[in-house]
Amino acid sequence: SVAGMIAVAGGLLFFMVWLLSPSHGELASLISRFKLRLVIATDDLLAAYFKRDDIKKQLAVSFEENPKLRSRFWREMATRRALRKGWLSSSGNGPLAEYYLTEDGHQIAISLVRGHRLWESFLHRDFQLGEDHLHEPAEMAEHFLGPDMQAQLSSQLDQPEIDPHGKSIPFNKKT
């Protein structure tokens, strides 16, 4: 019947709009979440290499402490993105390749680690959170603390050099 076809056509059009709308569609939302997760995984990868280089005795990067990088898929995607952006360089090819931060990658990693440790210091001082409750919120916030917010935090905290866990807060010379 005509009424049934109109209802089916209307339902199909609604479904297509729900799925394919460029700004609010489910597919656009899925792509946006994927891109954000890739950016965060890349940030975490750079920070892991920075921490490896910061601890001279540590030769390998441990991905076990970071749940986002335990997945081989996200680790490989983040590594490819970092190589493509010029933030990592490699010595060799294949599974035995060793990766190192480039100067640009090092600056990004310093900014991430600095943001993380400043946020931990802020939470510890202003919210009196215990040391065991600082890492998770800082892990989420570090990706969104730009240089301006880091400068404000540092100023508000009286330019701390050490976070609540006793780790040094790196200073980015370019900011």
Side-chain angles (χ1 to χ4, degrees), residues 84-117:
R84 191 175 58 249
K85 295 274 191 177
W87 299 332
L88 278 182
S89 62
S90 66
S91 63
N93 292 325
L96 298 177
E98 190 65 34
Y99 297 103
Y100 302 96
L101 290 172
T102 63
E103 184 59 35
D104 289 342
H106 187 75
Q107 295 303 320
I108 291 168
I110 284 176
S111 179
L112 287 162
V113 172
R114 178 173 173 73
H116 179 96
R117 293 181 182 167

PDB file of all heavy atoms in Angstrom, residues 84-117:
ATOM      1  N   ARG A  84      54.910   8.861  11.103  1.00  0.00           N
ATOM      2  CA  ARG A  84      54.443   9.704   9.993  1.00  0.00           C
ATOM      3  C   ARG A  84      54.561  11.195  10.326  1.00  0.00           C
ATOM      4  O   ARG A  84      54.919  12.006   9.476  1.00  0.00           O
ATOM      5  CB  ARG A  84      53.002   9.323   9.656  1.00  0.00           C
ATOM      6  CG  ARG A  84      52.477   9.920   8.391  1.00  0.00           C
ATOM      7  CD  ARG A  84      51.080   9.425   8.020  1.00  0.00           C
ATOM      8  NE  ARG A  84      50.088   9.692   9.048  1.00  0.00           N
ATOM      9  CZ  ARG A  84      49.500   8.766   9.797  1.00  0.00           C
ATOM     10  NH1 ARG A  84      49.775   7.499   9.632  1.00  0.00           N
ATOM     11  NH2 ARG A  84      48.606   9.105  10.713  1.00  0.00           N
ATOM     12  N   LYS A  85      54.285  11.551  11.588  1.00  0.00           N
ATOM     13  CA  LYS A  85      54.367  12.954  12.015  1.00  0.00           C
ATOM     14  C   LYS A  85      55.800  13.396  12.289  1.00  0.00           C
ATOM     15  O   LYS A  85      56.047  14.577  12.497  1.00  0.00           O
ATOM     16  CB  LYS A  85      53.530  13.172  13.284  1.00  0.00           C
ATOM     17  CG  LYS A  85      52.058  12.965  13.104  1.00  0.00           C
ATOM     18  CD  LYS A  85      51.420  14.216  12.619  1.00  0.00           C
ATOM     19  CE  LYS A  85      49.909  14.096  12.690  1.00  0.00           C
ATOM     20  NZ  LYS A  85      49.263  15.324  12.286  1.00  0.00           N
ATOM     21  N   GLY A  86      56.738  12.435  12.328  1.00  0.00           N
ATOM     22  CA  GLY A  86      58.128  12.785  12.588  1.00  0.00           C
ATOM     23  C   GLY A  86      58.451  12.906  14.061  1.00  0.00           C
ATOM     24  O   GLY A  86      59.427  13.559  14.434  1.00  0.00           O
ATOM     25  N   TRP A  87      57.647  12.284  14.922  1.00  0.00           N
ATOM     26  CA  TRP A  87      57.871  12.357  16.357  1.00  0.00           C
ATOM     27  C   TRP A  87      58.712  11.189  16.860  1.00  0.00           C
ATOM     28  O   TRP A  87      59.257  11.254  17.952  1.00  0.00           O
ATOM     29  CB  TRP A  87      56.550  12.399  17.101  1.00  0.00           C
ATOM     30  CG  TRP A  87      55.707  13.593  16.751  1.00  0.00           C
ATOM     31  CD1 TRP A  87      56.152  14.811  16.318  1.00  0.00           C
ATOM     32  CD2 TRP A  87      54.294  13.685  16.790  1.00  0.00           C
ATOM     33  NE1 TRP A  87      55.096  15.656  16.094  1.00  0.00           N
ATOM     34  CE2 TRP A  87      53.932  14.988  16.377  1.00  0.00           C
ATOM     35  CE3 TRP A  87      53.283  12.807  17.139  1.00  0.00           C
ATOM     36  CZ2 TRP A  87      52.618  15.425  16.307  1.00  0.00           C
ATOM     37  CZ3 TRP A  87      51.973  13.244  17.067  1.00  0.00           C
ATOM     38  CH2 TRP A  87      51.647  14.536  16.665  1.00  0.00           C
ATOM     39  N   LEU A  88      58.787  10.124  16.075  1.00  0.00           N
ATOM     40  CA  LEU A  88      59.609   8.964  16.386  1.00  0.00           C
ATOM     41  C   LEU A  88      60.513   8.682  15.211  1.00  0.00           C
ATOM     42  O   LEU A  88      60.159   8.953  14.056  1.00  0.00           O
ATOM     43  CB  LEU A  88      58.757   7.708  16.615  1.00  0.00           C
ATOM     44  CG  LEU A  88      58.093   7.453  17.944  1.00  0.00           C
ATOM     45  CD1 LEU A  88      57.355   6.119  17.913  1.00  0.00           C
ATOM     46  CD2 LEU A  88      59.061   7.476  19.091  1.00  0.00           C
ATOM     47  N   SER A  89      61.675   8.136  15.481  1.00  0.00           N
ATOM     48  CA  SER A  89      62.540   7.615  14.425  1.00  0.00           C
ATOM     49  C   SER A  89      62.876   6.187  14.813  1.00  0.00           C
ATOM     50  O   SER A  89      62.763   5.801  15.970  1.00  0.00           O
ATOM     51  CB  SER A  89      63.808   8.459  14.279  1.00  0.00           C
ATOM     52  OG  SER A  89      64.559   8.410  15.472  1.00  0.00           O
ATOM     53  N   SER A  90      63.271   5.398  13.828  1.00  0.00           N
ATOM     54  CA  SER A  90      63.549   3.994  14.122  1.00  0.00           C
ATOM     55  C   SER A  90      64.941   3.624  13.642  1.00  0.00           C
ATOM     56  O   SER A  90      65.464   4.202  12.692  1.00  0.00           O
ATOM     57  CB  SER A  90      62.516   3.086  13.464  1.00  0.00           C
ATOM     58  OG  SER A  90      62.630   3.143  12.066  1.00  0.00           O
ATOM     59  N   SER A  91      65.515   2.656  14.337  1.00  0.00           N
ATOM     60  CA  SER A  91      66.782   2.087  13.898  1.00  0.00           C
ATOM     61  C   SER A  91      66.490   0.654  13.475  1.00  0.00           C
ATOM     62  O   SER A  91      66.429  -0.247  14.288  1.00  0.00           O
ATOM     63  CB  SER A  91      67.811   2.125  15.028  1.00  0.00           C
ATOM     64  OG  SER A  91      67.373   1.326  16.096  1.00  0.00           O
ATOM     65  N   GLY A  92      66.231   0.484  12.216  1.00  0.00           N
ATOM     66  CA  GLY A  92      65.910  -0.841  11.706  1.00  0.00           C
ATOM     67  C   GLY A  92      64.461  -0.931  11.290  1.00  0.00           C
ATOM     68  O   GLY A  92      63.684   0.004  11.426  1.00  0.00           O
ATOM     69  N   ASN A  93      64.113  -2.101  10.756  1.00  0.00           N
ATOM     70  CA  ASN A  93      62.751  -2.353  10.293  1.00  0.00           C
ATOM     71  C   ASN A  93      62.225  -3.616  10.936  1.00  0.00           C
ATOM     72  O   ASN A  93      62.976  -4.417  11.477  1.00  0.00           O
ATOM     73  CB  ASN A  93      62.721  -2.517   8.768  1.00  0.00           C
ATOM     74  CG  ASN A  93      63.035  -1.220   8.059  1.00  0.00           C
ATOM     75  OD1 ASN A  93      62.661  -0.160   8.531  1.00  0.00           O
ATOM     76  ND2 ASN A  93      63.722  -1.314   6.937  1.00  0.00           N
ATOM     77  N   GLY A  94      60.925  -3.783  10.846  1.00  0.00           N
ATOM     78  CA  GLY A  94      60.322  -5.006  11.331  1.00  0.00           C
ATOM     79  C   GLY A  94      60.115  -5.025  12.829  1.00  0.00           C
ATOM     80  O   GLY A  94      60.209  -3.997  13.505  1.00  0.00           O
ATOM     81  N   PRO A  95      59.846  -6.203  13.356  1.00  0.00           N
ATOM     82  CA  PRO A  95      59.499  -6.306  14.775  1.00  0.00           C
ATOM     83  C   PRO A  95      60.664  -6.006  15.720  1.00  0.00           C
ATOM     84  O   PRO A  95      60.461  -5.730  16.891  1.00  0.00           O
ATOM     85  CB  PRO A  95      59.036  -7.758  14.931  1.00  0.00           C
ATOM     86  CG  PRO A  95      59.592  -8.477  13.755  1.00  0.00           C
ATOM     87  CD  PRO A  95      59.757  -7.470  12.661  1.00  0.00           C
ATOM     88  N   LEU A  96      61.900  -6.043  15.215  1.00  0.00           N
ATOM     89  CA  LEU A  96      63.052  -5.784  16.080  1.00  0.00           C
ATOM     90  C   LEU A  96      63.519  -4.328  16.029  1.00  0.00           C
ATOM     91  O   LEU A  96      64.548  -3.987  16.602  1.00  0.00           O
ATOM     92  CB  LEU A  96      64.211  -6.714  15.701  1.00  0.00           C
ATOM     93  CG  LEU A  96      63.919  -8.214  15.865  1.00  0.00           C
ATOM     94  CD1 LEU A  96      65.104  -9.033  15.391  1.00  0.00           C
ATOM     95  CD2 LEU A  96      63.575  -8.539  17.301  1.00  0.00           C
ATOM     96  N   ALA A  97      62.763  -3.495  15.327  1.00  0.00           N
ATOM     97  CA  ALA A  97      63.149  -2.085  15.220  1.00  0.00           C
ATOM     98  C   ALA A  97      63.096  -1.426  16.593  1.00  0.00           C
ATOM     99  O   ALA A  97      62.222  -1.696  17.403  1.00  0.00           O
ATOM    100  CB  ALA A  97      62.217  -1.358  14.260  1.00  0.00           C
ATOM    101  N   GLU A  98      64.052  -0.561  16.835  1.00  0.00           N
ATOM    102  CA  GLU A  98      64.106   0.206  18.077  1.00  0.00           C
ATOM    103  C   GLU A  98      63.664   1.635  17.746  1.00  0.00           C
ATOM    104  O   GLU A  98      64.115   2.216  16.772  1.00  0.00           O
ATOM    105  CB  GLU A  98      65.533   0.196  18.621  1.00  0.00           C
ATOM    106  CG  GLU A  98      65.672   0.741  20.004  1.00  0.00           C
ATOM    107  CD  GLU A  98      64.959  -0.084  21.063  1.00  0.00           C
ATOM    108  OE1 GLU A  98      64.891  -1.308  20.931  1.00  0.00           O
ATOM    109  OE2 GLU A  98      64.466   0.526  22.022  1.00  0.00           O
ATOM    110  N   TYR A  99      62.788   2.205  18.574  1.00  0.00           N
ATOM    111  CA  TYR A  99      62.249   3.535  18.306  1.00  0.00           C
ATOM    112  C   TYR A  99      62.814   4.554  19.294  1.00  0.00           C
ATOM    113  O   TYR A  99      63.034   4.249  20.459  1.00  0.00           O
ATOM    114  CB  TYR A  99      60.727   3.518  18.382  1.00  0.00           C
ATOM    115  CG  TYR A  99      60.101   2.634  17.333  1.00  0.00           C
ATOM    116  CD1 TYR A  99      59.621   1.382  17.655  1.00  0.00           C
ATOM    117  CD2 TYR A  99      60.025   3.048  16.012  1.00  0.00           C
ATOM    118  CE1 TYR A  99      59.066   0.562  16.688  1.00  0.00           C
ATOM    119  CE2 TYR A  99      59.478   2.243  15.047  1.00  0.00           C
ATOM    120  CZ  TYR A  99      58.992   1.000  15.388  1.00  0.00           C
ATOM    121  OH  TYR A  99      58.460   0.199  14.424  1.00  0.00           O
ATOM    122  N   TYR A 100      63.015   5.757  18.787  1.00  0.00           N
ATOM    123  CA  TYR A 100      63.548   6.858  19.590  1.00  0.00           C
ATOM    124  C   TYR A 100      62.751   8.114  19.296  1.00  0.00           C
ATOM    125  O   TYR A 100      62.285   8.328  18.178  1.00  0.00           O
ATOM    126  CB  TYR A 100      65.020   7.108  19.244  1.00  0.00           C
ATOM    127  CG  TYR A 100      65.879   5.888  19.448  1.00  0.00           C
ATOM    128  CD1 TYR A 100      66.190   5.047  18.390  1.00  0.00           C
ATOM    129  CD2 TYR A 100      66.373   5.577  20.707  1.00  0.00           C
ATOM    130  CE1 TYR A 100      66.968   3.914  18.576  1.00  0.00           C
ATOM    131  CE2 TYR A 100      67.151   4.446  20.904  1.00  0.00           C
ATOM    132  CZ  TYR A 100      67.445   3.631  19.840  1.00  0.00           C
ATOM    133  OH  TYR A 100      68.208   2.512  20.040  1.00  0.00           O
ATOM    134  N   LEU A 101      62.634   8.963  20.291  1.00  0.00           N
ATOM    135  CA  LEU A 101      61.956  10.246  20.107  1.00  0.00           C
ATOM    136  C   LEU A 101      62.821  11.185  19.287  1.00  0.00           C
ATOM    137  O   LEU A 101      64.023  11.289  19.521  1.00  0.00           O
ATOM    138  CB  LEU A 101      61.669  10.895  21.464  1.00  0.00           C
ATOM    139  CG  LEU A 101      60.615  10.244  22.342  1.00  0.00           C
ATOM    140  CD1 LEU A 101      60.612  10.896  23.718  1.00  0.00           C
ATOM    141  CD2 LEU A 101      59.255  10.333  21.709  1.00  0.00           C
ATOM    142  N   THR A 102      62.204  11.879  18.338  1.00  0.00           N
ATOM    143  CA  THR A 102      62.899  12.958  17.639  1.00  0.00           C
ATOM    144  C   THR A 102      62.821  14.200  18.532  1.00  0.00           C
ATOM    145  O   THR A 102      62.188  14.168  19.599  1.00  0.00           O
ATOM    146  CB  THR A 102      62.232  13.254  16.282  1.00  0.00           C
ATOM    147  OG1 THR A 102      60.898  13.710  16.525  1.00  0.00           O
ATOM    148  CG2 THR A 102      62.215  12.024  15.386  1.00  0.00           C
ATOM    149  N   GLU A 103      63.419  15.285  18.117  1.00  0.00           N
ATOM    150  CA  GLU A 103      63.376  16.512  18.918  1.00  0.00           C
ATOM    151  C   GLU A 103      61.931  16.988  19.086  1.00  0.00           C
ATOM    152  O   GLU A 103      61.519  17.364  20.190  1.00  0.00           O
ATOM    153  CB  GLU A 103      64.228  17.609  18.263  1.00  0.00           C
ATOM    154  CG  GLU A 103      64.305  18.881  19.074  1.00  0.00           C
ATOM    155  CD  GLU A 103      64.889  18.693  20.473  1.00  0.00           C
ATOM    156  OE1 GLU A 103      65.792  17.850  20.648  1.00  0.00           O
ATOM    157  OE2 GLU A 103      64.434  19.385  21.405  1.00  0.00           O
ATOM    158  N   ASP A 104      61.140  16.963  18.001  1.00  0.00           N
ATOM    159  CA  ASP A 104      59.729  17.363  18.104  1.00  0.00           C
ATOM    160  C   ASP A 104      58.952  16.418  19.014  1.00  0.00           C
ATOM    161  O   ASP A 104      58.142  16.853  19.832  1.00  0.00           O
ATOM    162  CB  ASP A 104      59.074  17.404  16.722  1.00  0.00           C
ATOM    163  CG  ASP A 104      59.568  18.550  15.868  1.00  0.00           C
ATOM    164  OD1 ASP A 104      60.143  19.511  16.428  1.00  0.00           O
ATOM    165  OD2 ASP A 104      59.382  18.491  14.637  1.00  0.00           O
ATOM    166  N   GLY A 105      59.189  15.116  18.874  1.00  0.00           N
ATOM    167  CA  GLY A 105      58.526  14.140  19.727  1.00  0.00           C
ATOM    168  C   GLY A 105      58.907  14.319  21.182  1.00  0.00           C
ATOM    169  O   GLY A 105      58.072  14.180  22.086  1.00  0.00           O
ATOM    170  N   HIS A 106      60.167  14.659  21.412  1.00  0.00           N
ATOM    171  CA  HIS A 106      60.649  14.885  22.782  1.00  0.00           C
ATOM    172  C   HIS A 106      59.929  16.083  23.408  1.00  0.00           C
ATOM    173  O   HIS A 106      59.538  16.034  24.581  1.00  0.00           O
ATOM    174  CB  HIS A 106      62.163  15.097  22.761  1.00  0.00           C
ATOM    175  CG  HIS A 106      62.789  15.160  24.108  1.00  0.00           C
ATOM    176  ND1 HIS A 106      62.987  14.048  24.886  1.00  0.00           N
ATOM    177  CD2 HIS A 106      63.234  16.215  24.823  1.00  0.00           C
ATOM    178  CE1 HIS A 106      63.539  14.407  26.026  1.00  0.00           C
ATOM    179  NE2 HIS A 106      63.705  15.716  26.021  1.00  0.00           N
ATOM    180  N   GLN A 107      59.753  17.144  22.649  1.00  0.00           N
ATOM    181  CA  GLN A 107      59.070  18.336  23.167  1.00  0.00           C
ATOM    182  C   GLN A 107      57.607  18.034  23.494  1.00  0.00           C
ATOM    183  O   GLN A 107      57.084  18.492  24.511  1.00  0.00           O
ATOM    184  CB  GLN A 107      59.160  19.494  22.169  1.00  0.00           C
ATOM    185  CG  GLN A 107      60.567  20.002  21.943  1.00  0.00           C
ATOM    186  CD  GLN A 107      61.235  20.457  23.226  1.00  0.00           C
ATOM    187  OE1 GLN A 107      60.626  21.085  24.080  1.00  0.00           O
ATOM    188  NE2 GLN A 107      62.509  20.119  23.370  1.00  0.00           N
ATOM    189  N   ILE A 108      56.941  17.255  22.635  1.00  0.00           N
ATOM    190  CA  ILE A 108      55.547  16.885  22.895  1.00  0.00           C
ATOM    191  C   ILE A 108      55.475  16.024  24.151  1.00  0.00           C
ATOM    192  O   ILE A 108      54.612  16.213  25.007  1.00  0.00           O
ATOM    193  CB  ILE A 108      54.945  16.160  21.681  1.00  0.00           C
ATOM    194  CG1 ILE A 108      54.794  17.140  20.515  1.00  0.00           C
ATOM    195  CG2 ILE A 108      53.599  15.534  22.022  1.00  0.00           C
ATOM    196  CD1 ILE A 108      54.473  16.480  19.192  1.00  0.00           C
ATOM    197  N   ALA A 109      56.389  15.063  24.266  1.00  0.00           N
ATOM    198  CA  ALA A 109      56.404  14.172  25.428  1.00  0.00           C
ATOM    199  C   ALA A 109      56.675  14.945  26.717  1.00  0.00           C
ATOM    200  O   ALA A 109      56.043  14.685  27.747  1.00  0.00           O
ATOM    201  CB  ALA A 109      57.449  13.074  25.233  1.00  0.00           C
ATOM    202  N   ILE A 110      57.597  15.898  26.670  1.00  0.00           N
ATOM    203  CA  ILE A 110      57.866  16.725  27.850  1.00  0.00           C
ATOM    204  C   ILE A 110      56.601  17.463  28.268  1.00  0.00           C
ATOM    205  O   ILE A 110      56.254  17.520  29.447  1.00  0.00           O
ATOM    206  CB  ILE A 110      59.012  17.732  27.587  1.00  0.00           C
ATOM    207  CG1 ILE A 110      60.355  17.020  27.616  1.00  0.00           C
ATOM    208  CG2 ILE A 110      58.999  18.862  28.608  1.00  0.00           C
ATOM    209  CD1 ILE A 110      61.521  17.916  27.275  1.00  0.00           C
ATOM    210  N   SER A 111      55.899  18.019  27.298  1.00  0.00           N
ATOM    211  CA  SER A 111      54.673  18.749  27.596  1.00  0.00           C
ATOM    212  C   SER A 111      53.627  17.831  28.238  1.00  0.00           C
ATOM    213  O   SER A 111      52.950  18.222  29.199  1.00  0.00           O
ATOM    214  CB  SER A 111      54.117  19.373  26.318  1.00  0.00           C
ATOM    215  OG  SER A 111      52.934  20.065  26.584  1.00  0.00           O
ATOM    216  N   LEU A 112      53.497  16.619  27.729  1.00  0.00           N
ATOM    217  CA  LEU A 112      52.531  15.671  28.291  1.00  0.00           C
ATOM    218  C   LEU A 112      52.886  15.277  29.719  1.00  0.00           C
ATOM    219  O   LEU A 112      52.034  15.289  30.610  1.00  0.00           O
ATOM    220  CB  LEU A 112      52.457  14.420  27.422  1.00  0.00           C
ATOM    221  CG  LEU A 112      51.758  14.589  26.087  1.00  0.00           C
ATOM    222  CD1 LEU A 112      52.121  13.447  25.155  1.00  0.00           C
ATOM    223  CD2 LEU A 112      50.268  14.665  26.305  1.00  0.00           C
ATOM    224  N   VAL A 113      54.136  14.923  29.934  1.00  0.00           N
ATOM    225  CA  VAL A 113      54.572  14.501  31.270  1.00  0.00           C
ATOM    226  C   VAL A 113      54.484  15.681  32.237  1.00  0.00           C
ATOM    227  O   VAL A 113      54.059  15.536  33.384  1.00  0.00           O
ATOM    228  CB  VAL A 113      55.993  13.896  31.215  1.00  0.00           C
ATOM    229  CG1 VAL A 113      56.539  13.641  32.604  1.00  0.00           C
ATOM    230  CG2 VAL A 113      55.981  12.613  30.400  1.00  0.00           C
ATOM    231  N   ARG A 114      54.857  16.865  31.764  1.00  0.00           N
ATOM    232  CA  ARG A 114      54.756  18.057  32.601  1.00  0.00           C
ATOM    233  C   ARG A 114      53.294  18.313  32.991  1.00  0.00           C
ATOM    234  O   ARG A 114      52.989  18.551  34.161  1.00  0.00           O
ATOM    235  CB  ARG A 114      55.334  19.262  31.866  1.00  0.00           C
ATOM    236  CG  ARG A 114      55.235  20.558  32.647  1.00  0.00           C
ATOM    237  CD  ARG A 114      55.980  21.689  31.927  1.00  0.00           C
ATOM    238  NE  ARG A 114      55.772  22.958  32.562  1.00  0.00           N
ATOM    239  CZ  ARG A 114      56.302  23.345  33.710  1.00  0.00           C
ATOM    240  NH1 ARG A 114      57.110  22.524  34.347  1.00  0.00           N
ATOM    241  NH2 ARG A 114      56.052  24.523  34.220  1.00  0.00           N
ATOM    242  N   GLY A 115      52.396  18.248  32.023  1.00  0.00           N
ATOM    243  CA  GLY A 115      50.974  18.446  32.314  1.00  0.00           C
ATOM    244  C   GLY A 115      50.451  17.423  33.310  1.00  0.00           C
ATOM    245  O   GLY A 115      49.702  17.759  34.230  1.00  0.00           O
ATOM    246  N   HIS A 116      50.858  16.179  33.131  1.00  0.00           N
ATOM    247  CA  HIS A 116      50.423  15.105  34.032  1.00  0.00           C
ATOM    248  C   HIS A 116      50.884  15.381  35.461  1.00  0.00           C
ATOM    249  O   HIS A 116      50.091  15.329  36.408  1.00  0.00           O
ATOM    250  CB  HIS A 116      50.986  13.767  33.542  1.00  0.00           C
ATOM    251  CG  HIS A 116      50.618  12.606  34.395  1.00  0.00           C
ATOM    252  ND1 HIS A 116      49.548  11.799  34.097  1.00  0.00           N
ATOM    253  CD2 HIS A 116      51.159  12.109  35.529  1.00  0.00           C
ATOM    254  CE1 HIS A 116      49.446  10.854  35.008  1.00  0.00           C
ATOM    255  NE2 HIS A 116      50.426  11.019  35.892  1.00  0.00           N
ATOM    256  N   ARG A 117      52.141  15.697  35.602  1.00  0.00           N
ATOM    257  CA  ARG A 117      52.699  15.887  36.953  1.00  0.00           C
ATOM    258  C   ARG A 117      52.214  17.174  37.603  1.00  0.00           C
ATOM    259  O   ARG A 117      52.028  17.228  38.825  1.00  0.00           O
ATOM    260  CB  ARG A 117      54.220  15.804  36.899  1.00  0.00           C
ATOM    261  CG  ARG A 117      54.659  14.379  36.531  1.00  0.00           C
ATOM    262  CD  ARG A 117      56.129  14.181  36.473  1.00  0.00           C
ATOM    263  NE  ARG A 117      56.427  12.804  36.079  1.00  0.00           N
ATOM    264  CZ  ARG A 117      57.605  12.383  35.700  1.00  0.00           C
ATOM    265  NH1 ARG A 117      58.644  13.216  35.682  1.00  0.00           N
ATOM    266  NH2 ARG A 117      57.782  11.131  35.342  1.00  0.00           N
TER     267      ARG A 117
END
